[in-house]
Amino acid sequence: MPESIDWPRPPRTPPPRRRRRVLLILAVLVGVVFGCRIAFSYYVDALWFGSLGYGAVFWKTQGVQWAVFTAFALATFLILYGSYLGL
């Protein structure tokens, strides 16, 4: 009878640091792909509106959308920050 029991070794997994690096690279690549798709969509829209002679309308619409987004983001931040300070 053997003196010790040889348990089967668990399968080797990559070290956490290496796994984290691979996940980070994958997340960055996914972000770049989606970012390029969005940028390409805006570029095509700008070309299309420009070819119709309505380039100014497109850029004015984009400016208004960004202004509304910025205003609401700032208002939300101020409300949340004020409620945090009130705690």
Side-chain angles (χ1 to χ4, degrees), residues 35-46:
C36 286
R37 285 187 63 195
I38 292 170
F40 186 68
S41 174
Y42 279 113
Y43 177 67
V44 169
D45 284 345

Side-chain angles (χ1 to χ4, degrees), residues 9-29:
R9 292 185 180 195
R12 293 189 69 197
T13 58
R17 177 178 279 168
R18 184 175 173 190
R19 187 178 319 138
R20 192 175 307 146
R21 184 179 303 154
V22 169
L23 288 176
L24 179 66
I25 290 172
L26 184 64
V28 167
L29 286 176

Side-chain angles (χ1 to χ4, degrees), residues 56-66:
V57 173
F58 173 76
W59 291 112
K60 184 69 165 183
T61 304
Q62 293 303 313
V64 169
Q65 286 179 356
W66 276 103

Side-chain angles (χ1 to χ4, degrees), residues 62-77:
Q62 293 303 313
V64 169
Q65 286 179 356
W66 276 103
V68 169
F69 172 78
T70 303
F72 276 92
L74 183 63
T76 302
F77 172 77

